[in-house]
Amino acid sequence: MLNLLSLIVGIVAFPVMLIGLIPLLGWLNWLVVPLAILGLALGALSESNTGRNLNIVVLIVGGVRLWLGGFIL
């Protein structure tokens, strides 16, 4: 059940992260990173790795985008 919740959070965060890759929309990653952390926590508590792995990818890409944009854009 927790893996399903983690997957749902990851599936919601993934398209927002993709939109945040567009220049001047990087501020959306400030919403993605906490969502991915929540999904990662839910995935860590579950027995399966699928949701956790999805949220790790979303967290890394969103974090790198924030870092490259100077944590502003």
Side-chain angles (χ1 to χ4, degrees):
M1 185 68 182
L2 289 175
N3 187 46
L4 181 63
L5 290 174
S6 177
L7 274 171
I8 290 171
V9 170
I11 289 171
V12 168
F14 187 75
V16 177
M17 182 262 312
L18 288 177
I19 294 170
L21 293 176
I22 298 172
L24 299 176
L25 292 177
W27 57 269
L28 282 173
N29 288 309
W30 283 108
L31 301 173
V32 169
V33 170
L35 273 176
I37 291 173
L38 174 69
L40 181 64
L42 290 172
L45 294 174
S46 72
E47 297 171 354
S48 181
N49 295 333
T50 311
R52 186 193 69 203
N53 293 343
L54 173 64
N55 285 294
I56 286 173
V57 170
V58 170
L59 182 63
I60 289 173
V61 173
V64 168
R65 172 60 176 95
L66 274 175
W67 176 66
L68 289 174
F71 297 100
I72 297 171
L73 300 174

